[in-house]
Amino acid sequence: MLDIFTQLADWLTFTVFKLSPDTSVGVGFHFFIEDTSKILVLLVSLIYVISFIRASLSVEKVRDYLQGKHKGVGYFLGSTFGAITPFCSCSSIPLFMGFVSAQIPIGVTIAFLITSPLVNEVGVIMLGSLLGIKFTVMYVAIGMLLGMIGGVILDKCQAHRWLQPFLAKAYQQVGQAQSQSQQQTQEPTPQRMTMKDRHAIAAGETKTIFGRVWKWVIVGVGLGAFIHGFVPAEWFEQNLASGQWWTVPVVTLSAIPIYANASGVVPIMGSLLDKGMPIGTTLAFCMGAVAVSLPEFIMLKQVMRYRLLAAIAGYLLIAISITGWLFNYYY
């Protein structure tokens, strides 16, 4: 299915507008068309499907399983789900909103949100062919571990307080729902929802959420497409290949404006390694590009307040830098 978006971008870029694939304009425009169309379609589809399922799903059972003594399992499941979903950072946001609206613990949703862009099955396959099975397994484990640790930390900080009001309100209904459930235990079981009822709820939520975020998808991907087409990778190769300790946080910060998914950034890793950049520094750059991208954070601003955005960004910058230093030290 995803080939459809590539074919659409090819047709518009190279046939309709007759841009050359060898120019920065052609590369950037192709990137914009492909990713915008893909993300918008996924946005609508995922919001609708999640809302449709949630209309009849017993979120109390899911929530009860993920809370309390099962919370550690919840972090692992959230991170695992993030690892197996073929989504980039921007297209993971609709699922994040769905999890929050379903009152899944905020730490579990954060674990998913962090892991999803870091670990992508296509990227993993490409990484295995480039650097071998051992390094790939380590990368997947680290990506999932970063997601779980981030979930634990932000759960302890009660990060749900820093969601945008419309999501915070939905999340804070957990206690109310539990209280009402206890008060209504002797009341008749509610009538089962029909397919028509579920569709109405899903369509309404899709319209509301899509209306809030679509323009930020355009802005974010547009910014990423511009940088993707015009920012040369050679600059990093020429200036940050020394292996000194400060190069790791510098390349992590320098990767923030770049928008890429794991499969798209793996070839860049190969190029940087071929030019002599240390493996830890290269890894930090690529993890920063897929996990802390500016376009992603522009879109996340629609569901998170600045305090939560800063907490996630700060955690990722520190965690990625530590990962880069460790790889440089041992390799």
Side-chain angles (χ1 to χ4, degrees):
M1 177 181 176
L2 295 181
D3 288 341
I4 296 175
F5 303 112
T6 302
Q7 294 171 6
L8 173 64
D10 288 342
W11 176 69
L12 286 174
T13 305
F14 308 131
T15 302
V16 176
F17 292 98
K18 300 185 184 305
L19 298 175
S20 172
D22 298 324
T23 64
S24 296
V25 174
V27 171
F29 187 78
H30 185 279
F31 182 93
F32 176 78
I33 295 297
E34 180 178 358
D35 276 54
T36 300
S37 58
K38 177 177 65 177
I39 290 172
L40 290 179
V41 170
L42 286 172
L43 191 70
V44 173
S45 302
L46 291 173
I47 294 174
Y48 179 86
V49 170
I50 291 171
S51 300
F52 188 90
I53 295 174
R54 183 159 48 84
S56 58
L57 181 67
S58 176
V59 297
E60 290 80 8
K61 291 183 180 179
V62 177
R63 185 177 60 243
D64 291 343
Y65 179 76
L66 294 175
Q67 288 177 336
K69 65 180 181 180
H70 298 296
K71 185 169 287 189
V73 176
Y75 298 132
F76 175 76
L77 292 178
S79 184
T80 300
F81 187 63
I84 63 176
T85 48
F87 307 131
C88 64
S89 55
C90 295
S91 46
S92 300
I93 296 171
L95 278 175
F96 172 82
M97 292 189 291
F99 291 163
V100 172
S101 298
Q103 291 96 35
I104 301 300
I106 188 66
V108 176
T109 64
I110 294 294
F112 163 80
L113 187 69
I114 291 175
T115 306
S116 185
L118 283 174
V119 183
N120 174 289
E121 61 268 32
V122 178
V124 167
I125 293 172
M126 296 173 64
L127 194 62
S129 64
L130 178 68
L131 297 176
I133 298 299
K134 180 180 178 181
F135 181 88
T136 302
V137 170
M138 292 177 63
Y139 175 83
V140 172
I142 289 171
M144 293 181 62
L145 184 62
L146 292 185
M148 288 185 283
I149 294 175
V152 172
I153 293 174
L154 290 169
D155 236 351
K156 297 296 183 181
C157 296
Q158 298 183 340
H160 63 272
R161 300 173 298 166
W162 305 329
L163 294 167
Q164 289 290 2
F166 79 99
L167 270 183
K169 181 179 179 180
Y171 187 87
Q172 290 169 352
Q173 288 174 347
V174 177
Q176 298 174 5
Q178 289 176 334
S179 177
Q180 292 174 1
S181 176
Q182 293 173 356
Q183 294 173 5
Q184 297 174 0
T185 51
Q186 298 179 348
E187 294 184 4
T189 303
Q191 185 177 0
R192 187 174 181 178
M193 297 184 67
T194 65
M195 297 290 286
K196 184 177 180 180
D197 293 333
R198 298 177 195 174
H199 168 72
I201 293 174
E205 290 196 9
T206 300
K207 181 179 179 181
T208 299
I209 296 174
F210 184 81
R212 290 179 181 272
V213 302
W214 71 266
K215 55 183 174 295
W216 296 104
V217 172
I218 302 296
V219 172
V221 178
L223 176 60
F226 174 80
I227 297 169
H228 185 81
F230 289 92
V231 175
E234 290 79 8
W235 184 89
F236 301 104
E237 299 169 357
Q238 295 170 0
N239 295 278
L240 299 173
S242 63
Q244 295 181 343
W245 72 268
W246 55 266
T247 60
V248 173
V250 167
V251 298
T252 305
L253 288 169
S254 67
I256 290 177
I258 299 174
Y259 171 66
N261 57 33
S263 57
V265 84
V266 169
I268 299 177
M269 288 185 66
S271 175
L272 296 176
L273 290 172
D274 289 341
K275 296 295 183 179
M277 184 177 285
I279 189 169
T281 309
T282 302
L283 184 63
F285 170 74
C286 294
M287 293 178 76
V290 299
V292 205
S293 66
L294 182 59
E296 176 197 7
F297 276 73
I298 290 175
M299 284 178 261
L300 281 175
K301 176 62 181 67
Q302 301 308 296
V303 296
M304 299 179 180
R305 297 181 181 179
Y306 284 116
R307 184 173 295 182
L308 182 52
L309 288 173
I312 294 175
Y315 164 73
L316 284 172
L317 290 173
I318 293 172
I320 291 172
S321 295
I322 293 174
T323 301
W325 286 327
L326 288 175
F327 270 85
N328 277 347
Y329 179 78
Y330 286 105
Y331 288 91

